[in-house]
Amino acid sequence: KMLLRRQRKQWYQRRVRGIRRARTYLHTALKMANVPGCWDHILSQNGMFSYTGLTKPQCEVLIEKHHIYLLKSGRISMCGVTESNAKYVAECFKDAIETAKES
């Protein structure tokens, strides 16, 4: 029983570290791509999801044009962000911010 608890705790710790790395990858990519806005909240939030601060029209551009799926409230799963796709995600954020038609 103790072994299972320890293994479960280690598993959760690995997941937490992975999500923190995903946040760092995305934050760095957003800054490198000069995406308008302050993105420090990506690092200060905790958990599997992050509120991006994107508007509904910006989220619709991400979903419809770039096939990046998030809630239209701007909430995105950090589990889908990896070292290899963070630059792409950041570039898509930039496009969405620059091209979305605000109502």
Side-chain angles (χ1 to χ4, degrees), residues 5-102:
R5 272 194 202 143
R6 189 170 67 241
Q7 288 174 333
R8 189 174 345 153
K9 184 177 179 182
Q10 290 170 345
W11 184 87
Y12 282 119
Q13 289 171 337
R14 284 192 304 274
R15 299 290 73 78
V16 167
R17 283 192 302 271
I19 292 168
R20 285 185 185 145
R21 276 194 305 272
R23 290 178 179 282
T24 301
Y25 297 146
L26 181 58
H27 182 262
T28 301
L30 290 163
K31 290 188 127 353
M32 296 285 288
N34 293 313
V35 179
C38 177
W39 298 99
D40 293 343
H41 62 279
I42 299 289
L43 295 175
S44 64
Q45 295 174 5
N46 291 309
M48 289 176 41
F49 299 94
S50 181
Y51 285 99
T52 60
L54 297 175
T55 64
K56 183 178 178 181
Q58 292 166 344
C59 292
E60 289 171 344
V61 169
L62 287 174
I63 295 165
E64 295 165 12
K65 182 177 178 182
H66 299 290
H67 303 283
I68 293 178
Y69 299 102
L70 70 164
L71 297 180
K72 291 181 182 177
S73 64
R75 186 174 180 230
I76 192 168
S77 171
M78 293 308 299
C79 297
V81 178
T82 65
E83 185 175 14
S84 61
N85 72 8
K87 181 179 176 185
Y88 171 76
V89 173
E91 290 168 354
C92 294
F93 274 35
K94 185 173 186 176
D95 178 65
I97 290 167
E98 292 174 348
T99 63
K101 304 273 189 290
E102 300 297 330

